[in-house]
Amino acid sequence: GGGGGGGGDGGGGAAASATGGATVVTCTAPVNIAVVKYWGKRDTKLILPINSSLSAALNMNDLCTTTTVVVSDSFDRDRLWLNGKEEEVTNARVLACLNGVRRLIDGGTTQNVHIISKNNFPTAAGLASSAAGYACLVFSLAAAYGVTNTATPEVLSQVARQGSGSACRSLLGGWVAWDQGEKDDGSDSGARQVAPASHWPDIRIFVCVVSADKKETSSTVGMQTSVSTSELLAHRATAIVPKRMQDMEAAIANRDFKRFAELIMKD
C-alpha cells in the first residue's frame, strides 16, 4: 500500500493546444475517499443521493485518472478509449456527461470528440475509479469546448454527478462535501469545498490493495439493494447523517483527529 497525502487538488491542471483545426486538452483528476459515505439514491437517473457525504481528494501523484479530449470538425462521430480499449459511446452515464457539458456551450456545437482515458490504479476494484474518471471526463470536455470560464466547478460537479455520484466531489480539491439537495431536478445537489488540501497537510491515507480484481457487486447494485431492503439505511440518512456532517466539518476545521477518527468509524 502507498501512503498518499490526504486532500489532493481537485480535477484540473488541464493542458490545451490547438493543432490542425483540432483542440486537444489533457486533464488529471483525483480519487476521493469518503469519510461520511454516500450510499443510496433517491433518483437513479439524475443520481441524487438519499444523504449528504464528505470526502478527501487523494494526492494525484499517487492515484489519478488522466483524460485527453480532442475536439475537431473532422470527426464524424464521438469515440472513447478506456485504459487502451475502445468502448462504444452508448453508456447512458457517459452520454449524460457529454450532453451535459454540450448544453453549457453558448450557441451549441456540432463538433464531435475523441476521448482517451486511463487510470493509474485498478479499475472497478473499490478505489473510486468512476469518481476520478467521470470528474476528469467532464472537466476535460468543459476545457476543450471552452466553457470552464463560464461554468464554475460547482456547476460542472452537477454534470459529473450524473456520471458517477461521487465524481462531483473530485471536481473540487481537498475536503469536499456533496450536499444532497432537495429539488427534484437536482439543481441544488452538488459539491462544495469544506477546506483546501493545505488545511490539514499531515493527514495520510494508506491504501492496501488486497485484490485488484473487479468487484463482484457494483456500487450501483449494492446501493439500490440497501435502499430497497434496509430500514436502518433510511434511518441513517434522515436521523444520523445531517448531524454527522456538521460534526465532521467541525472536526476537519479544528484538525481534531480523535473526533475525526471516531466519526469515520461510526459511519
Side-chain angles (χ1 to χ4, degrees):
D9 295 327
S17 63
T19 57
T23 301
V24 184
V25 170
T26 297
C27 165
T28 56
V31 165
N32 73 74
I33 299 298
V35 293
V36 176
K37 299 291 185 182
Y38 149 56
W39 196 255
K41 303 174 183 69
R42 61 183 173 91
D43 186 310
T44 56
K45 182 178 180 182
L46 294 176
I47 308 189
L48 302 177
I50 62 171
N51 63 270
S52 297
S53 56
L54 199 155
S55 66
L58 303 195
N59 192 314
M60 286 191 287
N61 291 332
D62 299 309
L63 301 176
C64 72
T65 296
T66 301
T67 299
T68 297
V69 167
V70 186
V71 176
S72 175
D73 290 322
S74 67
F75 295 156
D76 62 354
R77 60 190 174 97
D78 297 324
R79 297 178 71 183
L80 167 67
W81 290 264
L82 177 60
N83 292 323
K85 179 184 177 183
E86 184 165 9
E87 307 278 351
E88 291 296 323
V89 189
T90 53
N91 181 291
R93 295 187 178 191
V94 172
L95 289 173
C97 291
L98 188 52
N99 294 332
V101 171
R102 284 172 169 160
R103 278 193 290 270
L104 298 172
I105 303 169
D106 188 22
T109 182
T110 58
Q111 290 181 312
N112 289 315
V113 297
H114 287 184
I115 303 161
I116 303 96
S117 187
K118 62 180 181 179
N119 301 320
N120 72 348
F121 58 92
T123 299
L127 285 171
S129 56
S130 61
Y134 281 107
C136 206
L137 173 64
V138 167
F139 193 89
S140 316
L141 287 168
Y145 279 123
V147 298
T148 50
N149 291 331
T150 53
T152 64
E154 288 78 12
V155 169
L156 292 178
S157 80
Q158 294 182 12
V159 178
R161 184 202 74 223
Q162 296 175 61
S164 173
S166 300
C168 72
R169 299 191 306 244
S170 282
L171 258 294
L172 287 80
W175 302 91
V176 182
W178 173 14
D179 295 319
Q180 69 183 84
E182 302 296 334
K183 296 180 180 178
D184 290 340
D185 66 358
S187 60
D188 59 348
S189 181
R192 167 178 57 86
Q193 188 182 66
V194 171
S198 58
H199 171 70
W200 205 353
D202 53 347
I203 283 284
R204 293 292 180 272
I205 297 172
F206 287 88
V207 180
C208 305
V209 181
V210 295
S211 172
D213 293 340
K214 186 174 181 178
K215 54 194 178 186
E216 292 181 9
T217 303
S218 71
S219 296
T220 297
V221 172
M223 284 186 196
Q224 292 315 107
T225 300
S226 298
V227 168
S228 63
T229 62
S230 174
E231 295 177 1
L232 291 176
L233 187 71
H235 175 75
R236 170 185 180 266
T238 58
I240 305 297
V241 171
K243 176 68 162 55
R244 185 164 291 160
M245 284 288 293
Q246 293 177 0
D247 292 345
M248 184 63 81
E249 290 193 36
I252 292 167
N254 296 325
R255 293 188 285 269
D256 181 349
F257 185 79
K258 184 175 185 295
R259 182 64 173 146
F260 173 76
E262 285 176 354
L263 291 166
I264 289 176
M265 293 306 295
K266 284 182 177 179
D267 200 65

